[in-house]
Amino acid sequence: MQADSFDAIVIGGGIFGCYAALYLAGKGARVALLEKEQRLFRKASLVNQARLHSGYHYPRSIATAALSDEHKQRFTTEHRQFVNFSFEKYYAIDHFGSFTDPGQFERFCAYLKIPCERITEHPLFNFHRLEALYKTKEYSFDPVLLREYYCRQVEENPGIAVFKSIRIQMAGAAGSKWELDTTAGRFHTPMVINATYAATNAVNRLFGLREIGLTHEISEIAFLTSVEFQEKGLTVMDGPFGSIMPYGLSGLLSMSSVAYTHHKISYENLPHFDCQVPEDPGCTPDMPGICTDCARRPASNAYKMLRQMEQYFSEQVHFQYLFSYYTIKSKLKTSYIDDGRPTEISKLHDTPALYCLFAGKVNSIYEIEKIV
Ligand SMILES: Cc1cc2nc3c(=O)[nH]c(=O)nc-3n(C[C@H](O)[C@H](O)[C@H](O)COP(=O)(O)OP(=O)(O)OC[C@H]3O[C@@H](n4cnc5c(N)ncnc54)[C@H](O)[C@@H]3O)c2cc1C
């Protein structure tokens, strides 16, 4: 393979970038996959709640709920060995302050044809706080196993050259090709896919292209164990509540809470946070770093999340907090209306081509196939 000329360059080595590179290589393209960090898959693709969405989570966005279900079938089939199918999954509605109610939730599930069985007694839950509890069907993918799988797939694919710890210094159109000056040399390509999630707008800017409206949050996922609540999950909806559920097949439970998971918010298109300091060029609004590895990451909110979530359980249930991962969670500004999480792919430049891929949910990796 010629070192500097590729049919396509994919920027960003999370699950969306890896899948896009494999998809294009599968069509016979010679692809370069560029990743800023030393290793692939260290950000949102690793630090998430690992929920293989069936739609339950989005009673205010029929579109996201329906899209979750569309891709879930294929994602589940093609990633069977990385999915936890066997845990008991409950959804519940808090007596106080929920944006939904049992009637609405049941109509929503019936509309989407997703199972929900109302449970009126259960020894593990506190019905003084829960207005309604439902047994549902939802799975959890394993981000660590997915990382191992996708890293192996891209590294071993003869059509893909993986460049890690790379910095793109300049980019611009030269005739029908993009020219990229990087720390690994100069690259030419007729097609670029920007799959950098929190860095989406920084990369668009580098190419002189328009930005998309995003907000960013430094988010914490806490990891727990529980003897009484192992291989079970509870999500309380719809509002400032939380979730505890298996993190794939790891044996751990992941915990998040709308009130406490998000530590800092940036309303600018690039992720600006006060923990980014000039002494550390490894994390800037243009090139966000790995929050879990950062000494200036926010102090953990795990005990606050746990206090909030424990209210929904009976006294029989105990949790042990182990550790937390942090990352930047980015959202489309337009999602504020209905809390939806669509995956958006926009073609920002025709010739040479640049596709901007902003990821919503992990199981929508296939959206790229509709466009490119
Ligand atoms: C807290 C949280 C909880 C979530 N929960 C769920 C869930 O339960 N279920 C679900 O389906 N989805 C969930 N999501 C969403 C899901 O995790 C993301 O949509 C998905 O992982 C994004 O994948 P990605 O490959 O686009 O981004 P990432 O995994 O962030 O990868 C982007 C890559 O681009 C690299 N990069 C950035 N800038 C550059 C540059 N200039 N040059 C080269 N490389 C660069 C980064 O280093 C990174 O490796 C959650 C997300 C978060 C943050």
Side-chain angles (χ1 to χ4, degrees), residues 11-17 34-37 39-53 141 166 168 195-199 203 206 219-221 261-262 286-288 327-330 357-363:
I11 310 174
I15 191 166
F16 278 79
L34 314 188
E35 168 54 51
K36 156 190 184 274
E37 307 295 346
R39 290 169 65 199
L40 307 175
F41 250 81
R42 290 292 319 276
K43 294 181 181 163
S45 299
L46 179 70
V47 187
N48 61 64
Q49 195 140 37
R51 186 193 310 272
L52 190 41
H53 283 267
F141 56 84
I166 193 171
I168 306 166
T196 55
Y197 191 60
V203 172
L206 204 57
S219 308
E220 174 183 5
I221 297 283
T261 284
H262 309 299
D286 288 325
M287 290 230 185
T327 197
I328 298 174
K329 181 169 193 168
S330 303
L357 191 178
F358 182 76
K361 293 289 155 203
V362 162
N363 54 339

Side-chain angles (χ1 to χ4, degrees), residues 82-221:
F82 317 123
V83 175
N84 184 344
F85 292 101
S86 60
F87 69 98
E88 283 171 34
K89 185 61 209 281
Y90 297 92
Y91 270 78
I93 298 170
D94 193 318
H95 262 302
F96 307 102
S98 182
F99 296 133
T100 194
D101 60 54
Q104 189 197 1
F105 184 66
E106 287 166 28
R107 281 195 301 278
F108 170 80
C109 292
Y111 179 81
L112 285 175
K113 299 192 178 60
I114 49 178
C116 86
E117 178 198 343
R118 189 150 181 185
I119 307 284
T120 49
E121 279 178 43
H122 197 298
L124 298 182
F125 297 103
N126 172 10
F127 285 88
H128 294 293
R129 274 308 296 265
L130 297 180
E131 182 174 357
L133 178 73
Y134 298 94
K135 191 163 184 189
T136 62
K137 205 166 180 188
E138 198 172 59
Y139 308 139
S140 166
F141 56 84
D142 193 303
V144 177
L145 296 181
L146 281 175
R147 175 174 69 178
E148 282 169 20
Y149 171 77
Y150 275 102
C151 289
R152 211 172 41 246
Q153 292 293 309
V154 293
E155 305 273 6
E156 288 176 2
N157 191 309
I160 303 176
V162 183
F163 296 86
K164 291 181 246 178
S165 303
I166 193 171
R167 297 282 181 277
I168 306 166
Q169 293 149 329
M170 261 184 10
S176 60
K177 294 202 171 180
W178 292 111
E179 196 170 87
L180 278 69
D181 280 329
T182 78
T183 45
R186 179 169 287 180
F187 297 145
H188 300 274
T189 184
M191 191 204 311
V192 165
I193 295 178
N194 172 8
T196 55
Y197 191 60
T200 299
N201 285 319
V203 172
N204 286 354
R205 241 183 227 190
L206 204 57
F207 284 80
L209 299 175
R210 80 171 159 81
E211 297 176 17
I212 57 173
L214 293 180
T215 61
H216 310 273
E217 297 160 340
I218 295 186
S219 308
E220 174 183 5
I221 297 283

